[in-house]
Amino acid sequence: MKKLIVYLLLASSVIACKDVVNEVPDTPFSTTPYTFSFNKTVLPPVRIPKDNPLTQEGVQLGRMLFYDPILSADSTQSCASCHNQTDAFTDNGRQFSTGIRGITGTRNAMSIVNMMWHLDGFFWDGRSDALKHLALIPIEDPTEMDETIGNVVAKLNRSPMYQEAFKKAFGTGAIGDEIIGKALEQFMLTMVSGNSKFDRVVMLKTEEFTVQERTGQTIFNQEATPINEELDPKNPKNFGGDCFHCHGNSLFMSRNYMSNGLPNVTDLGRGATNGNPRDNYKFKTPTLRNIEKTAPYMHDGRFNTLEEVVQHYLSDMTNATANLGDEPNMHALRDSVYLSEEHKAALVAFLKTLTDDDFLTNEAYSNPF
Ligand code: HEC
Ligand code: HEC
């Protein structure tokens, strides 16, 4: 109801100012509210920051900025250079991204998807708490776009196209860092994935899994069972992968920074951000939506295939770098579940049902230029 009133107010201000638009070009400005079209039974309720309501004009502007190399020092790199739609907004299969001067970073580019439900921070170490702030970080990162916000502001202010677009979206042609961040935030919030085979089978019940995918689903959602030769090797329930504890619910991610038992990790991750040694070598638990498209895997891109990832989870984790003692769900993984070749393949087949072709091809997320 509250929202409706805001929309009505906005709508009436559109009508009210139409006649006088030439006399007072900057105030007040009219915008069109943005409405989401995803299926509401599949994903949690919409969550938009109070200080940045989504408008079609703001989203469109954010989309332009996302795809425009003007944000980088030598105009060679846009956000999309490392966040490519066909790879679910990851970096073209690269282990580490290469920034504008050929400098390589140390982390694997993350997928940008369902961002409004990431409640506990952004980046592998959670060092950013809001998308509108995050959006400015890659611009100044010397291994990414290596530009200053001041220069970006100056360049955008020189562009009649951006003057016009910012006026439409934020009512001002005086472009500053706050509204650049907000526009990018608006666009990223619209990137929603909720139409995979998983959604159609499990949430909407309009399709069915193959037998293999269903076996994989059982393994994914089953508590791990220590190896026991007396168990029936054909029954997937006896060989749970215990994935759901950390990649559960319809977002396939969790709110915690965790360790999944990787050996030889050198990046302190969350611990470097919050200074808590118990969080050393822990990372954001990433979503598994569109995971088929986002190889290589992990914060350091160490695994090239989902088969390698599954093999890691089946391995003995005594050499894990992080202390697994304080990981609530690691008991299961450490106990080394055993999966037959058939069960491993089934788990991978289930993970592939999270691919959402609509998301990967939706024109609304594509290059507007
Ligand atoms: C040179 C490659 C590169 C460029 C250019 C780049 N990114 Fe990224 N992006 C990355 C990497 C690598 C990470 C992970 C960084 C980390 O954890 O420290 C990342 C992480 C992110 C995340 C975090 C996702 C999550 O789930 O926490 C968002 C959002 C994002 N980038 C948006 C952007 C935007 C917006 C731009 C343009 C202003 C941009 N990126 C430009 C490589 C890049
Ligand atoms: C204890 C929590 C936990 C459990 C249980 C768990 N994971 Fe993970 N998973 C993580 C964390 C944390 C990461 C990121 C680790 C990193 O990058 O260092 C991750 C990363 C991944 C990735 C790579 C994602 C990407 O974007 O690179 C895949 C794929 C994955 N997990 C699948 C699984 C599967 C399949 C299972 C069950 C066999 C499982 N996970 C069980 C916490 C967990």
Side-chain angles (χ1 to χ4, degrees):
M1 191 59 203
K2 227 183 187 170
K3 259 193 207 142
L4 188 64
I5 293 171
V6 173
Y7 294 162
L8 288 176
L9 282 176
L10 281 174
S12 59
S13 72
V14 177
I15 298 160
C17 73
K18 252 200 179 140
D19 298 336
V20 290
V21 107
N22 290 332
E23 277 98 342
V24 275
D26 286 346
T27 57
F29 63 108
S30 60
T31 47
T32 328
Y34 178 90
T35 41
F36 284 94
S37 57
F38 64 86
N39 197 311
K40 304 285 187 295
T41 50
V42 169
L43 292 163
V46 170
R47 264 185 88 256
I48 300 297
K50 280 205 178 63
D51 68 347
N52 195 16
L54 264 55
T55 64
Q56 286 179 27
E57 292 79 3
V59 169
Q60 178 61 16
L61 170 59
R63 181 177 168 202
M64 287 160 65
L65 291 170
F66 190 88
Y67 280 96
D68 197 336
I70 197 171
L71 298 189
S72 64
D74 61 359
S75 296
T76 57
Q77 206 163 37
S78 69
C79 309
S81 308
C82 301
H83 298 285
N84 173 10
Q85 183 176 12
T86 47
D87 304 317
F89 294 99
T90 58
D91 191 2
N92 309 293
R94 289 197 182 89
Q95 179 176 19
F96 301 121
S97 303
T98 308
I100 64 158
R101 299 191 210 293
I103 306 166
T104 307
T106 56
R107 289 185 181 160
N108 186 241
M110 304 174 86
S111 174
I112 303 180
V113 63
N114 296 345
M115 300 308 278
M116 70 175 103
W117 299 293
H118 291 226
L119 302 182
D120 287 298
F122 302 98
F123 289 132
W124 283 107
D125 52 15
R127 71 187 182 283
S128 177
D129 61 351
L131 279 181
K132 66 175 181 189
H133 299 144
L134 174 146
L136 304 177
I137 297 175
I139 297 176
E140 296 208 310
D141 188 322
T143 69
E144 297 187 0
M145 300 164 116
D146 197 21
E147 180 56 295
T148 66
I149 302 297
N151 282 345
V152 169
V153 166
K155 284 191 274 186
L156 293 175
N157 272 305
R158 280 200 296 272
S159 153
M161 177 183 77
Y162 277 109
Q163 289 264 323
E164 174 78 15
F166 272 92
K167 237 178 239 174
K168 277 194 191 158
F170 296 102
T172 173
I175 302 164
D177 54 350
E178 172 81 9
I179 49 179
I180 295 172
K182 281 186 169 177
L184 281 162
E185 174 170 76
Q186 289 199 27
F187 176 56
M188 289 192 278
L189 288 171
T190 67
M191 296 179 177
V192 171
S193 174
N195 189 19
S196 61
K197 183 170 187 184
F198 168 85
D199 298 300
R200 296 190 298 272
V201 174
V202 177
M203 313 298 270
L204 302 173
K205 308 202 176 359
T206 53
E207 256 177 60
E208 287 197 15
F209 278 148
T210 62
V211 172
Q212 188 189 40
E213 289 162 351
R214 198 169 330 115
T215 300
Q217 184 195 22
T218 305
I219 294 167
F220 188 92
N221 287 319
Q222 191 73 30
E223 293 270 0
T225 320
I227 296 169
N228 177 345
E229 277 163 20
E230 284 167 23
L231 294 173
D232 172 6
K234 288 251 176 288
N235 185 353
K237 287 202 166 176
N238 289 336
F239 303 99
D242 202 32
C243 315
F244 75 105
H245 267 134
C246 302
H247 302 282
N249 68 53
S250 65
L251 298 171
F252 288 87
M253 57 184 273
S254 85
R255 298 184 56 173
N256 296 328
Y257 293 81
M258 297 207 255
S259 162
N260 62 347
L262 298 174
N264 308 319
V265 177
T266 50
D267 185 333
L268 287 180
R270 185 67 178 156
T273 298
N274 66 8
N276 182 349
R278 287 168 62 96
D279 284 339
N280 282 351
Y281 313 111
K282 293 186 184 172
F283 295 89
K284 181 165 171 171
T285 309
T287 179
L288 300 184
R289 282 192 174 269
N290 300 300
I291 196 73
E292 180 185 9
K293 302 291 176 184
T294 69
Y297 303 107
M298 307 302 164
H299 71 276
D300 55 6
R302 67 174 61 198
F303 298 128
N304 288 319
T305 64
L306 287 172
E307 284 76 9
E308 286 173 43
V309 172
V310 168
Q311 201 54 51
H312 159 67
Y313 280 110
L314 300 179
S315 68
D316 167 353
M317 292 182 182
T318 22
N319 292 326
T321 310
N323 173 14
L324 298 184
D326 48 15
E327 288 299 7
N329 302 310
M330 288 309 292
H331 62 279
L333 292 178
R334 221 177 18 243
D335 287 346
S336 270
V337 291
Y338 166 79
L339 297 183
S340 65
E341 290 309 315
E342 195 187 329
H343 286 160
K344 287 182 211 170
L347 184 52
V348 171
F350 170 69
L351 294 176
K352 290 184 178 171
T353 70
L354 295 169
T355 303
D356 175 353
D357 289 322
D358 272 3
F359 178 74
L360 303 170
T361 57
N362 188 338
E363 244 191 79
Y365 310 142
S366 68
N367 191 336
F369 297 113

